[in-house]
Amino acid sequence: PLDTLDAHHQLHFMLHQSNRRSEEAFQGCMRLLEQLGEDVPDNFENTSAPPFARIRHVLEKKSEEEILAIQDLNDENDLRRIRFLSQACIISSTALRPRMTAYCIARMVEISLKGFSVYTPYAFVALGTFLCGQRINAISEAQRIGKIALRLFNERFSDPGQLPLFNLAYYGFVSVRFESFQTCATHLRQASTVAFSTGNIFLAIINNAQSINKSFFAGKPLPSISEDIKRQIELTVKYKDSRCVNYARFWNQTLQSLMHGEAGNSSLPEDRHLDGSLPADRHLDATASMMDTFHKAVQTFWKGHHKRFIFLMGQSTSNQQGNAMADIPKLMSIINNFYHSLVACALVKASSKVSEMRRVIAHVREDLKELASESPQNYENKKQLLEAEIYSCRNETHNGLLRK
C-alpha cells in the first residue's frame, strides 16, 4: 500500500536526518517528489523567488472563515507531494538552506489552497514563521496565518503525529510574539514528550531545546532550568546529536556563569563534546557561532562588562549576514537588543560613544513599544525598564540627550 511505502520512505529520511546526513535525506525527498511529478528546481540558489506575493494576496483576500471552509484535498498524488514537501521543509530548515525551505513552504501552501489535509496546519504555520522573519517582518499577517493554522490543527486535523512539528513552528517561532513565554515553553515540552512517544528523537530534542530557551526568558528559576539542561545533555549524548550537544553546552555555560559567577565552572571544555570526545570539525557552523556569541553576550551583560558586550554585539551582526536562521524571528535577538539598549544607556551616562548609543536606544525603544503592544506579558516590563533608564540619562549631565 502507498501509505506503508510512504511511511517507510519517511522513516528512512528521519534516520538520515538524525544521523546528521541532512543532504542525503533532502535529496531523497527531492527524488521522490520528482517521481510524483513535482517540478523540482535543479539549483535552488539560482531559481526564481517562490510566489509568496501571490500566495499572500490570495490569503489576504479571503476571510478567516472562508479559508477554514476550504474542502479536504482528495487528490492522492497531491497528498503524497505535500507529505514529502513537509519532510523536505524540516530537513532544509535544520540544514540552513533558506531557498530550499522557502520553495517547500510555498509549494505546501499552494497545494493546501487546492484542498486541506493533515499537513496543512504545518504548511500555514511554516508560512507564518517565514512572514515574521527579519527580512519580511509582517508580524500581524504572520499572527493571522498562525492562528488560522492553530484552529485548523485543533478543530479539524488534531493528529498527534503532527503535534511535535506543529508546536515547534508555532510556539517556537510564531506565537512567541504574542503568547507568554511560559505558555510557549509548556507547549514545547508537551511536543517533546509526544515526539519521544512516537520515536521521533530529533523533534523531541529540538522541542526540548526550544522549551529551555523560552523557560529561561520566562523567568523560570535557574536551578530548575539547570536540571532541564542536564536532562537535555543526557539525551543529546545518548542519541549522538552533535549540533544539539553544542547548544546544550552553551546553555550549560551560561547557567554556570549566572549561578556561580564563572562560565569556567562548566565541566564542558571549549573544544570537546558533552561526552568528552573531540569534535570532528572544531569550527562551529554558522548558527552555532551565532548561539555561542549570544550566550557570551548574556554572560558579559550580567557581569557588567559593557565594552566587551558591545564588541560581541558587533560579532552577532556579522554572524547573521547570509545566515538562514537570520530570517527566523529569534527571541535571542530581541533579548540581546534589549540588553544592548541598557548598556547603551550606561555608556551615555559615562559619556562614551554618545551618538552611536543614542541610535541604539532609539531603535530598541521603538521595537519594545511594538513588542509590548503585541505581548505585554513578555515585554511591557522591559519597555518600562528602558524608559526608566532613559529618564535617568535625562536627569544626569546629558539632560535632554535622548529626548524625542
Side-chain angles (χ1 to χ4, degrees):
L2 288 178
D3 281 349
T4 303
L5 180 62
D6 287 351
H8 170 77
H9 284 305
Q10 198 160 11
L11 178 60
H12 180 69
F13 299 145
M14 284 169 53
L15 289 172
H16 273 323
Q17 190 177 9
S18 297
N19 292 324
R20 296 298 305 278
R21 293 161 67 182
S22 297
E23 187 62 29
E24 291 178 47
F26 185 82
Q27 292 303 329
C29 277
M30 291 298 102
R31 285 192 296 272
L32 189 55
L33 284 164
E34 285 180 332
Q35 292 171 19
L36 293 171
E38 183 72 17
D39 186 15
V40 177
D42 293 330
N43 187 331
F44 283 91
E45 298 308 315
N46 296 330
T47 191
S48 59
F52 282 113
R54 183 174 61 79
I55 291 170
R56 292 169 67 184
H57 179 74
V58 170
L59 291 170
E60 183 183 5
K61 292 298 180 183
K62 291 181 180 291
S63 69
E64 182 172 330
E65 294 308 318
E66 285 176 326
I67 294 172
L68 292 170
I70 292 175
Q71 298 299 305
D72 286 354
L73 184 64
N74 293 317
D75 186 290
E76 185 68 36
N77 199 57
D78 279 341
L79 281 167
R80 297 185 72 201
R81 285 192 198 189
I82 194 170
R83 178 175 188 170
F84 288 104
L85 281 164
S86 68
Q87 185 73 36
C89 187
I90 304 164
I91 298 166
S92 63
S93 62
T94 55
L96 310 181
R97 301 292 182 87
R99 282 192 175 272
M100 293 179 180
T101 305
Y103 166 80
C104 294
I105 292 172
R107 287 294 297 131
M108 285 193 296
V109 176
E110 283 185 318
I111 293 173
S112 291
L113 290 174
K114 294 164 60 179
F116 284 172
S117 70
V118 70
Y119 306 103
T120 296
Y122 174 65
F124 276 27
V125 79
L127 176 61
T129 299
F130 184 83
L131 289 175
C132 58
Q134 293 179 6
R135 294 187 188 181
I136 298 180
N137 201 35
I139 304 301
S140 60
E141 188 179 349
Q143 181 174 349
R144 175 177 181 258
I145 297 300
K147 289 189 172 181
I148 290 172
L150 185 64
R151 280 193 64 184
L152 277 172
F153 185 82
N154 288 334
E155 299 172 13
R156 191 161 161 185
F157 299 108
S158 187
D159 179 4
Q162 291 292 309
L163 184 140
L165 181 57
F166 181 85
N167 278 18
L168 176 62
Y170 185 76
Y171 293 104
F173 300 105
V174 177
S175 74
V176 75
R177 294 296 297 258
F178 47 88
E179 300 265 15
S180 73
F181 296 151
Q182 190 53 58
T183 295
C184 294
T186 299
H187 284 282
L188 289 162
R189 279 195 297 273
Q190 177 198 18
S192 181
T193 300
V194 171
F196 268 118
S197 70
T198 58
N200 195 328
I201 305 303
F202 174 77
L203 281 178
I205 289 174
I206 292 291
N207 272 288
N208 201 43
Q210 285 294 325
S211 173
I212 289 169
N213 178 292
K214 306 304 182 287
S215 295
F216 179 81
F217 296 119
K220 186 175 180 179
L222 296 185
S224 180
I225 299 176
S226 183
E227 290 301 313
D228 294 340
I229 292 171
K230 286 179 183 177
R231 285 192 289 273
Q232 180 75 343
I233 286 171
E234 292 171 0
L235 292 173
T236 53
V237 171
K238 180 177 180 179
Y239 293 103
K240 298 180 174 61
D241 190 323
S242 57
R243 176 174 289 169
C244 286
V245 162
N246 277 328
Y247 298 167
R249 172 165 59 85
F250 299 148
W251 273 111
N252 190 64
Q253 290 173 337
T254 295
L255 265 289
Q256 293 296 326
S257 177
L258 297 180
M259 293 170 66
H260 305 296
E262 292 294 336
N265 291 344
S266 169
S267 61
L268 308 170
E270 190 68 26
D271 61 346
R272 292 181 182 272
H273 288 319
L274 293 168
D275 60 359
S277 63
L278 287 169
D281 182 355
R282 292 170 181 265
H283 298 288
L284 299 174
D285 64 35
T287 302
S289 293
M290 286 171 56
M291 292 193 66
D292 185 37
T293 301
F294 163 76
H295 283 281
K296 287 176 180 174
V298 170
Q299 296 166 30
T300 302
F301 171 80
W302 286 107
K303 290 177 183 176
H305 300 163
H306 294 158
K307 292 185 178 179
R308 172 68 176 165
F309 178 88
I310 295 296
F311 169 77
L312 289 168
M313 284 299 292
Q315 272 196 336
S316 177
T317 301
S318 175
N319 285 342
Q320 289 185 44
Q321 294 176 355
N323 190 307
M325 293 297 283
D327 284 339
I328 293 178
K330 297 183 300 298
L331 177 57
M332 296 185 302
S333 293
I334 293 172
I335 298 299
N336 253 3
N337 287 338
F338 169 61
Y339 290 163
H340 196 181
S341 68
L342 299 182
V343 168
C345 286
L347 292 176
V348 165
K349 292 177 187 178
S351 304
S352 177
K353 299 184 176 180
V354 172
S355 60
E356 178 186 343
M357 293 302 104
R358 283 179 63 186
R359 289 193 294 272
V360 169
I361 294 166
H363 174 72
V364 177
R365 187 187 199 185
E366 290 305 309
D367 282 351
L368 284 176
K369 284 181 181 178
E370 180 182 350
L371 288 163
S373 68
E374 296 166 353
S375 181
Q377 66 270 45
N378 292 330
Y379 299 108
E380 181 64 30
N381 59 344
K382 296 172 180 61
K383 186 192 80 169
Q384 291 184 8
L385 179 56
L386 178 57
E387 292 290 350
E389 287 297 315
I390 292 172
Y391 184 81
S392 175
C393 288
R394 287 174 176 167
N395 285 280
E396 296 201 8
T397 56
H398 304 285
N399 185 37
L401 182 67
L402 299 173
R403 189 172 290 118
K404 289 284 187 185

